[in-house]
Amino acid sequence: MKNRCILINLFLVLTCLSIKAQSVGYFPGEIYFKLEVDFLITLDQYPDDSVNIEEQMPFLTPLVNTFQISSVRRVFYFTTDDKLLRTFRLRCADDVNLDDLVIELGEQTGVEYAEKIPTSKVDYNPNDLGSNTLNSQWYLHKIDAPAAWNLSFGNPSVVVAIVDNAFQTDHPDQSLLPGWDVADNDNNPHLPHIGCEHGTHVAGISGADTDNATGIASIGFGISIMPVKASHDAYSNGGGCFQYIHRGYEGITWAAVNGARVINCSWGSSGYGYSITQLNAVNYAWSLGAVVVAAAGNFDLNILTYPAVFPNVVAVASTNINDQKSGFSNFGPWVDVAAPGENILGLLPFGITGIRSGTSMSAPLVSGLLGLMLSANPGLTNVDLVNCLVSSTDNIDAINPSYIGMLGSGRINALQALQCAQSTLSCPPTLSFSSPINDFTNFNWYYEVSQDIEASNQVLGTSRITYDAGVYVKLKPNPGALSGNGFKAQTNGFFKALIDGCSRVVGTEEETDNQKLNIRIFPNPNSGAFTLELPQAAKPGMTFRIIGLTGQVLLEKVAETGSARQALEAGALPAGLYFVQVVEDGRVVGIERFVKQ
């Protein structure tokens, strides 16, 4: 019982410290509320975030005067997630007792919950400490970024979103994608005044233009940065975009809906209970294939900080040039990784650079690295991407004996992270034949290979075939399907195709036991279209898939029944090696390779 009391008191002390540091725990005059699933409302009646209280939510009418309600906004209107579509942001007078409003609203029929909105604050500390080394970008050398760039310069098709206060959208050292202002609901994320520098500095760390003889280099090198402004130009609680991130979670959702693979949040709220709405927003982003990265906070405390502590978020603590925990950095078992965050040179308005410190600087270093990893291997799933990041760090426990288990897996290492990301791309496509069957009347497979035959059991070149000695494999000329020196490999046994790193299974023995369809492909040299020929007419429900080398489904088409020949369009695919699967009743019944020139 004594220990329990000590823990409770400690939590209260930490909470009080956090409140003192932040001044305000919740945004005044604003709450979230969510409608029940069976509450009848025409959500698509209004194309944007406007809500007509009188027409759509008459149950609020008695509360309008009491709580001085001025507006209700459907701030997640751009999503397809039903939870978020039914979540609204209500604005009332700043001096209203929000606890009373939450209770009143929560008692209304059809309201699932109502909650106050924790404040989210930017997370850097102005810096006047120490000198810099290595051209003021020691942190890139510390994490071995130059070696990582030997493996990837970053792909502009990989989008990292920076959800922050505002951006210099015309900075000479940063080419930004078109973005959005979710706070003021317009397409202008540009900073309203010079004091709103935080977003510009953060964005430059992830993806400033690199190798352009201007300003600074960035870990992301050639990735694309999407600016999402989440602070109001002006705000009644003071500070405006100087201090608060008013609509950070709306920004996370907008970025995910609009194609971001990584979403950086160099802000958070510490010491306050979590918000269901904010958790829903993070989980929705993850479900769309976006990884959220968040700063751990700057109070030098083991205190829960949101969104960093949420599941499906990478929480980042800060370290210095000696790999020691930064004096300001939060810590705890909920931290995932650490990254340099002291004396970080970044972009500033207008067209200049400057040094800042904070976990706000650590987080975009991680976000940019994730973008670089995805550039090296776009097929990485969220789980694989995060696992590679966490498993490739350098252990810094010996340097931080008081924080073992509190700084995540260690300090990020860009080279090792890239090597992990590329590990599934290290092996050439391989076919292995196993489980020999001696009944040669039951032939069920052809596979095209090219180049030369070596010894008795493998073909070298763009593809290789290996097999056990008990399997009879017959090679015969292939008249020009791929090239003049092409061959077809014929086997009567099961097959197993292991793609990219010899780990991702395209066809298993169980799947291929009944693969009786011999598929022929007729490419059209004048276009990206090709014809797939089946041994018999396609059946209802049969579908075709084009599969990439990393196993991802790139195209899926329902078959045209009654015809043995099916047209597939691959014009949007880049040149390379692909597979076509024939799927019937959820089972792969045929697979063939094709090369797009």
Side-chain angles (χ1 to χ4, degrees):
M1 178 64 71
K2 182 178 181 181
N3 289 339
R4 180 178 298 176
C5 290
I6 290 173
L7 288 173
I8 291 173
N9 287 334
L10 177 60
F11 177 76
L12 290 175
V13 169
L14 294 180
T15 302
C16 291
L17 286 172
S18 177
I19 291 172
K20 182 178 179 181
Q22 291 202 159
S23 300
V24 179
Y26 300 92
F27 284 121
E30 293 189 283
I31 64 168
Y32 285 128
F33 68 92
K34 180 183 176 296
L35 299 178
E36 296 277 5
V37 174
D38 55 358
F39 184 91
L40 296 178
I41 184 172
T42 308
L43 293 176
D44 59 358
Q45 183 176 347
Y46 295 88
D48 54 18
D49 68 343
S50 317
V51 171
N52 187 309
I53 295 176
E54 219 172 284
E55 293 180 11
Q56 286 193 292
M57 299 182 179
F59 64 88
L60 286 177
T61 304
L63 306 178
V64 169
N65 291 331
T66 304
F67 294 99
Q68 301 178 59
I69 297 173
S70 58
S71 68
V72 174
R73 299 282 181 183
R74 186 160 61 101
V75 290
F76 297 100
Y77 69 90
F78 42 77
T79 77
T80 57
D81 182 76
D82 190 61
K83 288 181 182 177
L84 295 174
L85 282 175
R86 290 181 167 270
T87 302
F88 299 82
R89 190 161 180 152
L90 180 150
R91 188 81 174 92
C92 59
D94 285 351
D95 58 355
V96 161
N97 187 319
L98 292 182
D99 292 321
D100 290 344
L101 177 55
V102 165
I103 292 172
E104 286 277 354
L105 194 54
E107 291 176 349
Q108 300 298 313
T109 302
V111 175
E112 181 177 321
Y113 69 81
E115 60 182 3
K116 296 184 290 185
I117 304 174
T119 53
S120 298
K121 296 188 69 176
V122 297
D123 265 337
Y124 76 75
N125 295 333
N127 180 285
D128 55 1
L129 302 175
S131 60
N132 302 294
T133 60
L134 300 173
N135 295 321
S136 299
Q137 293 197 275
W138 65 269
Y139 48 95
L140 291 178
H141 295 267
K142 188 73 175 182
I143 66 173
D144 220 357
W149 293 331
N150 289 330
L151 302 180
S152 175
F153 283 138
N155 191 323
S157 67
V158 175
V159 177
V160 173
I162 308 295
V163 179
D164 218 288
N165 59 0
F167 306 85
Q168 184 190 345
T169 55
D170 56 355
H171 197 289
D173 196 26
Q174 179 139 60
S175 304
L176 297 174
L177 294 175
W180 193 256
D181 182 347
V182 292
D184 297 312
N185 202 29
D186 58 46
N187 65 353
N188 183 18
H190 192 75
L191 69 169
H193 22 70
I194 195 169
C196 303
E197 65 176 36
H198 189 262
T200 300
H201 198 275
V202 169
I205 295 169
S206 284
D209 294 344
T210 301
D211 200 25
N212 63 346
T214 302
I216 63 170
S218 69
I219 178 60
F221 207 104
I223 63 174
S224 292
I225 299 297
M226 172 191 290
V228 182
K229 180 174 173 289
S231 295
H232 293 296
D233 290 347
Y235 193 64
S236 57
N237 189 40
C241 70
F242 291 98
Q243 196 172 20
Y244 290 103
I245 305 296
H246 306 110
R247 297 204 175 183
Y249 293 87
E250 289 90 326
I252 290 172
T253 308
W254 189 91
V257 167
N258 286 275
R261 284 299 310 273
V262 181
I263 302 172
N264 186 82
C265 304
S266 289
W267 43 266
S269 54
S270 298
Y272 301 99
Y274 87 29
S275 156
I276 298 173
T277 300
Q278 293 172 350
L279 177 61
N280 287 343
V282 166
N283 287 341
Y284 180 61
W286 178 273
S287 75
L288 293 183
V291 174
V292 176
V293 178
N298 294 340
F299 301 127
D300 188 25
L301 296 171
N302 179 2
I303 186 171
L304 299 183
T305 302
Y306 301 91
V309 76
F310 281 136
N312 298 330
V313 174
V314 177
V316 186
S318 173
T319 53
N320 64 19
I321 195 170
N322 297 313
D323 277 337
Q324 298 165 320
K325 184 192 85 71
S326 298
F328 52 76
S329 179
N330 284 357
F331 54 92
W334 47 273
V335 171
D336 295 296
V337 295
E342 286 190 43
N343 299 335
I344 305 300
L345 185 66
L347 307 181
L348 291 175
F350 282 92
I352 61 174
T353 60
I355 294 170
R356 298 290 183 268
S357 294
T359 55
S360 273
M361 283 63 253
S362 306
L365 203 56
V366 171
S367 295
L369 175 56
L370 290 174
L372 196 66
M373 293 164 67
L374 285 168
S375 299
N377 187 351
L380 287 172
T381 65
N382 284 5
V383 172
D384 289 341
L385 180 65
V386 174
N387 283 346
C388 264
L389 174 77
V390 172
S391 64
S392 63
T393 56
D394 288 344
N395 190 302
I396 55 174
D397 285 347
I399 304 169
N400 298 277
S402 299
Y403 300 99
I404 294 176
M406 300 291 179
L407 298 176
S409 62
R411 191 253 306 132
I412 60 171
N413 183 306
L415 174 60
Q416 292 173 179
L418 264 288
Q419 289 172 335
C420 178
Q422 286 195 331
S423 64
T424 57
L425 299 173
S426 60
C427 292
T430 300
L431 277 185
S432 299
F433 297 109
S434 59
S435 303
I437 299 175
N438 293 321
D439 180 8
F440 293 109
T441 62
N442 187 24
F443 168 74
N444 65 9
W445 195 252
Y446 279 91
Y447 193 77
E448 294 174 346
V449 298
S450 62
Q451 304 304 320
D452 301 318
I453 302 172
E454 179 185 81
S456 60
N457 66 347
Q458 70 175 349
V459 177
L460 300 179
T462 55
S463 296
R464 184 175 68 246
I465 294 180
T466 59
Y467 52 93
D468 13 72
V471 176
Y472 178 73
V473 176
K474 181 170 61 179
L475 295 175
K476 63 183 181 180
N478 169 28
L482 287 179
S483 62
N485 61 352
F487 291 88
K488 283 191 176 181
Q490 175 179 325
T491 178
N492 63 294
F494 304 147
F495 88 100
K496 185 178 291 184
L498 304 177
I499 305 301
D500 285 351
C502 308
S503 62
R504 191 178 297 277
V505 176
V506 173
T508 66
E509 294 181 9
E510 292 75 22
E511 289 174 332
T512 57
D513 185 14
N514 296 314
Q515 286 183 335
K516 308 301 182 185
L517 293 183
N518 296 325
I519 308 166
R520 291 200 297 168
I521 293 176
F522 301 90
N524 182 345
N526 297 319
S527 74
F530 63 89
T531 300
L532 187 71
E533 185 177 78
L534 306 173
Q536 66 270 335
K539 301 175 183 178
M542 182 177 282
T543 58
F544 307 111
R545 296 173 183 160
I546 296 181
I547 309 294
L549 282 180
T550 54
Q552 74 272 31
V553 178
L554 303 176
L555 182 148
E556 187 166 293
K557 177 186 176 181
V558 177
E560 299 172 7
T561 56
S563 174
R565 287 202 170 194
Q566 304 285 326
L568 292 177
E569 176 58 57
L573 299 177
L577 175 67
Y578 301 89
F579 292 87
V580 175
Q581 285 183 345
V582 181
V583 182
E584 186 176 341
D585 297 327
R587 182 171 56 89
V588 176
V589 296
I591 187 169
E592 183 59 285
R593 185 186 80 159
F594 76 97
V595 176
K596 184 183 176 190
Q597 301 295 336

